[in-house]
Amino acid sequence: MAFVVAKFGGTSVASPERIQMVARRLIASKQAGNQVVAVVSAMGKTTDELVGLAKALNEDPPAREMDMLLSTGEQVSMSLLAMAIQARGYKAKSFTGWQAGITTDRNYSRAKIEDIDADRIKREVERGAIVIVAGFQGLTEDGDITTLGRGGSDTTAVALAYGLGADVCEIYSDVDGVYTADPRVCPRAKKLDEICYDDMLELSSAGAGVLQARAVEFAKKYNVVIHSRSAFTDTPGTLIKEVTSMEQAVISGVAHDTSEVKVTIRDLKDQYGIASTVFSALAGNMVNVDMIIQNVSEEGHTDLTFTCPESDLERACETVERVLPQIGAREYVVDKNIAKVSLVGTGMKSSPGVAARAFTALAENQVNILLISTSPIRLSIVVEASQCANAVRCLHTAFDLDSDQVFEETQLSAEEIAAKMNKGR
Amino acid sequence: MAFVVAKFGGTSVASPERIQMVARRLIASKQAGNQVVAVVSAMGKTTDELVGLAKALNEDPPAREMDMLLSTGEQVSMSLLAMAIQARGYKAKSFTGWQAGITTDRNYSRAKIEDIDADRIKREVERGAIVIVAGFQGLTEDGDITTLGRGGSDTTAVALAYGLGADVCEIYSDVDGVYTADPRVCPRAKKLDEICYDDMLELSSAGAGVLQARAVEFAKKYNVVIHSRSAFTDTPGTLIKEVTSMEQAVISGVAHDTSEVKVTIRDLKDQYGIASTVFSALAGNMVNVDMIIQNVSEEGHTDLTFTCPESDLERACETVERVLPQIGAREYVVDKNIAKVSLVGTGMKSSPGVAARAFTALAENQVNILLISTSPIRLSIVVEASQCANAVRCLHTAFDLDSDQVFEETQLSAEEIAAKMNKGR
């Protein structure tokens, strides 16, 4: 018997049939003796439809009203789920974010949870109800509805698990856990039984779509155990928690990310203040810069390269164009055809030679490295997009991650792959 | 300059185009120097769609969750309207029922407003915003969302007008005011400039669909002036208020209602307790009995007739069937083919001879009266459905209500008629 918070994303509640599946699953957990709180996202395409309506009335919809509008999505799915559970003879009650005591700051559309008062939810759970809470939303101190932005429902679930003192926060999705690499790219990838918060954070940031980095960060801070598992099977998934085993694998996994682009500013003056000028301007224009590389200069001139999400490219180009004269640079070039491949593992810190082993493996497989960047527990390289799969596979093999079983690609349908790629709410 | 609360029903906000129309109208009122609060219903068919989803998951959806679900409808339309107003450069803010300080009792799906704390709305209006409030909903003291049931949005508007001390509560619909009769049935009907609460209440109860009796009752209790007007034209409509003019017309209007059926129990024993048995059983089975008529008995036996909405007929028949043996009655007959026609007017009290004049007019026009029932300010008769229009017209003429102008039926489209007949939220 345990206290479980279970989060289901938009695809898991996309239709009445899927809502029935979730209802059955929650009831099974209740029957097994657990205390159960569920967190749900909006049904499938609801959010897109609401955004469409808003844009028809206001090209630049005001954020407060947009949050008011979008927060209805979860209110619909949560009440439907409560009805489905009641139809099967079990007690269920749904609560909006504000009813669940979730207080946020005033940053509409990307609010941060500031406080959680889970007393009401706790009371209902103790009375025997399966409680359903709307993910992705909260209330400001002034009584205005907010939404939490990307990964918001995962964060709601982790925050509630903390506020309720739950034993585990189950996050259900289309995939059955965290893999050592994306099985679609690396058929010998294997599912991890557990992974520590830091490695999961690095994997999420490096492109693994299974969990939102933000929720993992929250879980780490408050020591909430996450169980990432499939909404469609009963097999156990991956536990994300503080791993205390003495001997950890050097490398937890290999992530890849093809959503970034590379911008190189050519022939700029190598003098102090240049980098500051460039990156202050980029930050001011809301460009999320990822990697930054500058080589040693030749004759007082150098090249400066950075990567950023392709969605920020237009703003990045505008910015660079504008600062070119100030930094005395000649030109800049954009390369969209890249992939970032990252080796992640807390064990890296205590294992010298990881970089050498990685570069040797890549060289033996004719993978040309364009950029390199490291953190204490991550080694990222940028390669040509066409060499991405090759790089992932040879690193996976080189660090003894290969499974004995070959992953069958047919296990994931086209729809599931699309859903997996879509890092939604 | 006035403080105006303006209510728009579901058809007025059914599409982005219609929401734009409402936005323009509210801005025009603001430009004219008014302080403006709008109350909106859910967009067109939203409620039906949500009910459909609920029924797919639970044949008998729990009331608390149903209210949670349905209340999202107004939250969508209100935020969209606020966006549309802001797109035109005016300040606007939307508020749910609970944000607007509307407290109700715990009767889900037909909650009654118990208290209203309009301070927040008032503050926003004083800051210059056009405030939009979700109709049809409130919050219990325990923090659960409720809906107000039929006529709920009209009631929200009237309650807010009272709470805010507004000068007028404008209720916009597809019709441009209150008529002396339904113009589709009586082409010489004329629009009333004003009508007193009591007459409006009787007309609403007697079948006039333009305003919900419940909202009028609320307005009477708190002396709120209602302005019933068209959402599609700028012509003034009808004011519903305490009419103080010395000389009032004897008759305010003629209403008709074809939604009732007549049930006659034949040959029952004429002894005490019989009527009590019948109508207690009917009430216990949720049958809304309207008229009750019992004639003098012949040789200890009599007939007992009542009318009720056709939607309650099935339950009525069940009940009567069950009590027949107890009351020693032989059989009962149902007549669905009836219409109730009502003369309404506060002036009736001080004008003897209204009934005589009415019956004479009906006789001269060969209208056969099946049942008669009266109140101090209303005279209702039941006739065969086929004679309904004839009865309305001859009474309208007999009481000098005819307009010089003949109403052109083409003024109402089929859609508008359907909307008018639909006494929605």
Side-chain angles (χ1 to χ4, degrees):
Chain A
M1 165 155 175
F3 196 135
V4 177
V5 173
K7 181 257 170 179
F8 295 88
T11 48
S12 303
V13 292
S15 65
E17 295 69 35
R18 294 229 172 149
I19 290 175
Q20 299 280 22
M21 279 179 64
V22 173
R24 280 195 295 272
R25 187 176 280 278
L26 293 172
I27 289 170
S29 182
K30 179 83 188 158
Q31 284 172 328
N34 294 325
Q35 294 188 297
V36 183
V37 171
V39 173
V40 292
S41 301
M43 292 172 77
K45 300 282 164 223
T46 308
T47 305
D48 294 345
E49 286 164 19
L50 292 174
V51 170
L53 276 173
K55 298 265 180 190
L57 289 163
N58 193 324
E59 280 180 24
D60 183 21
R64 178 188 184 275
E65 300 302 328
M66 202 63 188
D67 282 6
M68 188 71 101
L69 180 69
L70 295 184
S71 65
T72 61
E74 283 78 22
Q75 198 170 326
V76 167
S77 52
M78 74 184 195
S79 52
L80 292 175
L81 179 54
M83 290 177 192
I85 294 170
Q86 289 196 39
R88 289 161 189 273
Y90 284 78
K91 273 203 261 185
K93 265 191 173 182
S94 71
F95 294 91
T96 61
W98 57 268
Q99 286 176 326
I102 297 168
T103 306
T104 74
D105 61 21
R106 289 183 187 78
N107 290 309
Y108 296 112
S109 84
R110 53 194 164 83
K112 285 204 165 57
I113 295 178
E114 286 192 332
D115 192 26
I116 190 152
D117 172 4
D119 283 357
R120 188 166 183 199
I121 304 301
K122 202 162 205 164
R123 219 160 43 234
E124 294 295 341
V125 171
E126 278 161 9
R127 285 179 191 156
I130 296 175
V131 170
I132 328 285
V133 177
F136 185 64
Q137 56 181 248
L139 196 70
T140 67
E141 272 182 28
D142 313 329
D144 280 334
I145 293 174
T146 50
T147 68
L148 307 182
R150 274 208 164 197
S153 288
D154 286 7
T155 309
T156 301
V158 173
L160 269 177
Y162 166 66
L164 290 162
D167 299 295
V168 63
C169 177
E170 298 181 333
I171 297 192
Y172 289 86
S173 69
D174 313 81
V175 288
D176 57 358
V178 181
Y179 278 77
T180 49
D182 185 335
R184 290 165 298 170
V185 165
C186 179
R188 285 200 179 274
K190 61 185 175 213
K191 193 172 69 188
L192 295 164
D193 292 331
E194 54 181 44
I195 183 170
C196 67
Y197 295 118
D198 287 332
D199 284 8
M200 189 66 237
L201 268 175
E202 287 280 5
L203 282 178
S204 291
S205 312
V210 58
L211 283 173
Q212 288 290 320
R214 186 178 165 192
V216 179
E217 226 164 304
F218 201 107
K220 181 187 172 191
K221 191 165 170 192
Y222 295 104
N223 205 20
V224 173
V225 177
I226 295 179
H227 185 183
S228 163
R229 56 190 303 189
S230 163
F232 305 109
T233 69
D234 283 323
T235 49
T238 303
L239 294 177
I240 295 99
K241 59 179 199 174
E242 208 50 82
V243 175
T244 50
S245 56
M246 297 285 282
E247 294 222 56
Q248 270 186 254
V250 175
I251 298 299
S252 287
V254 185
H256 72 277
D257 185 351
T258 54
S259 70
E260 296 198 343
V261 294
K262 180 166 73 81
V263 179
T264 303
I265 304 173
R266 287 267 168 82
D267 252 3
L268 42 75
K269 279 186 263 176
D270 188 10
Q271 63 184 47
Y272 67 88
I274 292 289
S276 161
T277 304
V278 173
F279 293 105
S280 299
L282 287 167
N285 212 359
M286 308 285 281
V287 177
N288 282 303
V289 171
D290 179 19
M291 298 165 80
I292 300 174
I293 288 98
Q294 186 180 331
N295 280 337
V296 289
S297 67
E298 291 174 30
E299 296 170 18
H301 279 71
T302 186
D303 290 354
L304 182 62
T305 297
F306 66 89
T307 64
C308 69
E310 186 162 4
S311 54
D312 292 357
L313 180 59
E314 203 175 316
R315 288 198 300 280
C317 291
E318 262 170 42
T319 316
V320 171
E321 198 87 54
R322 184 155 44 79
V323 299
L324 275 186
Q326 292 173 50
I327 57 175
R330 199 159 44 86
E331 57 168 8
Y332 70 100
V333 286
V334 171
D335 185 357
K336 293 186 187 180
N337 234 0
I338 60 160
K340 183 172 71 167
V341 177
S342 304
L343 269 178
V344 171
T346 310
M348 219 184 258
K349 282 190 282 197
S350 51
S351 292
V354 167
R357 195 160 150 198
F359 297 147
T360 305
L362 292 164
E364 283 171 5
N365 286 274
Q366 286 88 44
V367 176
N368 187 32
I369 301 171
L370 303 177
L371 301 172
I372 302 171
S373 150
T374 60
S375 88
I377 64 166
R378 179 180 48 79
L379 169 69
S380 294
I381 57 159
V382 169
V383 298
E384 267 180 37
S386 62
Q387 295 203 295
C388 175
N390 192 10
V392 170
R393 284 181 211 142
C394 77
L395 289 172
H396 200 264
T397 305
F399 285 90
D400 299 326
L401 297 171
D402 283 357
S403 161
D404 294 339
Q405 292 187 319
V406 176
F407 199 94
E408 289 176 34
E409 289 199 63
T410 48
Q411 280 184 246
L412 283 179
S413 72
E415 189 193 0
E416 286 167 340
I417 289 176
K420 194 180 165 186
M421 296 300 279
N422 175 20
K423 305 180 203 173
R425 288 182 171 187
Chain B
M1 166 154 175
F3 197 133
V4 177
V5 173
K7 181 257 169 178
F8 296 87
T11 49
S12 302
V13 292
S15 64
E17 294 68 35
R18 294 227 172 149
I19 290 175
Q20 298 280 21
M21 277 179 66
V22 173
R24 280 195 296 271
R25 187 176 279 278
L26 293 172
I27 288 171
S29 183
K30 178 86 189 156
Q31 284 173 330
N34 295 324
Q35 294 188 297
V36 183
V37 171
V39 173
V40 292
S41 301
M43 292 171 77
K45 300 284 162 222
T46 308
T47 305
D48 294 345
E49 286 165 19
L50 292 174
V51 170
L53 276 172
K55 297 269 179 188
L57 290 163
N58 192 324
E59 280 178 25
D60 182 22
R64 178 188 183 275
E65 301 302 327
M66 202 63 188
D67 282 7
M68 188 70 102
L69 180 69
L70 295 184
S71 66
T72 62
E74 284 77 22
Q75 198 171 325
V76 168
S77 52
M78 75 186 195
S79 52
L80 292 175
L81 179 53
M83 289 176 192
I85 294 171
Q86 289 196 38
R88 289 161 190 273
Y90 284 78
K91 273 202 259 186
K93 264 191 173 182
S94 71
F95 294 91
T96 61
W98 58 269
Q99 286 176 327
I102 297 168
T103 306
T104 75
D105 61 22
R106 289 184 187 77
N107 290 308
Y108 298 113
S109 85
R110 53 195 165 83
K112 284 203 165 55
I113 295 178
E114 286 193 332
D115 192 27
I116 189 154
D117 172 5
D119 284 357
R120 186 165 184 201
I121 305 299
K122 202 162 206 164
R123 219 160 43 234
E124 294 294 342
V125 171
E126 277 161 7
R127 284 179 191 157
I130 297 174
V131 170
I132 328 287
V133 177
F136 185 65
Q137 57 181 249
L139 196 71
T140 68
E141 271 181 28
D142 314 330
D144 280 334
I145 292 174
T146 50
T147 67
L148 308 182
R150 274 207 164 198
S153 288
D154 286 6
T155 309
T156 301
V158 173
L160 270 176
Y162 166 66
L164 290 162
D167 299 295
V168 63
C169 177
E170 298 180 332
I171 297 192
Y172 289 86
S173 70
D174 314 82
V175 289
D176 58 359
V178 181
Y179 278 76
T180 50
D182 186 335
R184 289 164 300 170
V185 164
C186 179
R188 285 199 179 274
K190 61 188 175 211
K191 193 172 68 188
L192 296 165
D193 292 332
E194 56 181 42
I195 183 170
C196 68
Y197 295 118
D198 287 330
D199 285 8
M200 190 66 237
L201 268 175
E202 287 280 6
L203 282 177
S204 292
S205 311
V210 58
L211 284 174
Q212 288 291 319
R214 185 177 166 192
V216 178
E217 225 164 305
F218 201 107
K220 181 188 172 190
K221 190 167 170 190
Y222 295 105
N223 205 19
V224 173
V225 177
I226 295 179
H227 185 182
S228 164
R229 56 188 305 188
S230 163
F232 305 109
T233 69
D234 285 323
T235 48
T238 303
L239 293 178
I240 296 98
K241 59 180 198 173
E242 210 48 83
V243 175
T244 51
S245 55
M246 298 284 283
E247 294 221 55
Q248 270 185 255
V250 174
I251 299 299
S252 287
V254 184
H256 71 277
D257 185 351
T258 55
S259 69
E260 297 199 343
V261 293
K262 181 164 73 79
V263 179
T264 302
I265 304 174
R266 287 268 170 82
D267 253 3
L268 42 74
K269 281 185 265 177
D270 188 10
Q271 62 185 49
Y272 66 89
I274 293 287
S276 162
T277 304
V278 174
F279 294 105
S280 299
L282 287 167
N285 211 359
M286 307 285 280
V287 177
N288 283 303
V289 172
D290 179 20
M291 297 165 82
I292 300 175
I293 287 95
Q294 184 179 331
N295 279 336
V296 290
S297 67
E298 292 172 31
E299 296 168 20
H301 278 72
T302 186
D303 290 353
L304 182 62
T305 298
F306 66 88
T307 64
C308 68
E310 185 162 4
S311 54
D312 292 358
L313 180 58
E314 202 175 318
R315 289 197 301 279
C317 290
E318 263 170 41
T319 316
V320 171
E321 198 89 54
R322 185 155 43 79
V323 298
L324 275 187
Q326 293 174 50
I327 57 175
R330 202 159 42 86
E331 57 168 7
Y332 72 99
V333 286
V334 171
D335 185 357
K336 294 187 186 180
N337 234 359
I338 60 160
K340 184 173 71 168
V341 177
S342 304
L343 269 177
V344 170
T346 311
M348 220 184 258
K349 283 190 281 194
S350 52
S351 293
V354 166
R357 194 160 152 198
F359 298 147
T360 305
L362 292 164
E364 282 173 3
N365 286 275
Q366 287 87 45
V367 176
N368 187 34
I369 302 171
L370 304 177
L371 302 172
I372 303 171
S373 150
T374 59
S375 88
I377 64 166
R378 178 179 50 78
L379 169 69
S380 294
I381 57 160
V382 168
V383 298
E384 267 180 35
S386 62
Q387 295 204 294
C388 175
N390 193 10
V392 171
R393 284 181 210 140
C394 78
L395 289 173
H396 200 263
T397 305
F399 286 89
D400 299 327
L401 297 171
D402 283 358
S403 161
D404 295 338
Q405 293 187 323
V406 177
F407 199 92
E408 289 177 34
E409 288 197 64
T410 49
Q411 279 183 248
L412 283 179
S413 71
E415 189 193 1
E416 285 166 342
I417 289 176
K420 193 180 166 187
M421 296 300 279
N422 173 22
K423 305 181 203 170
R425 291 185 170 184

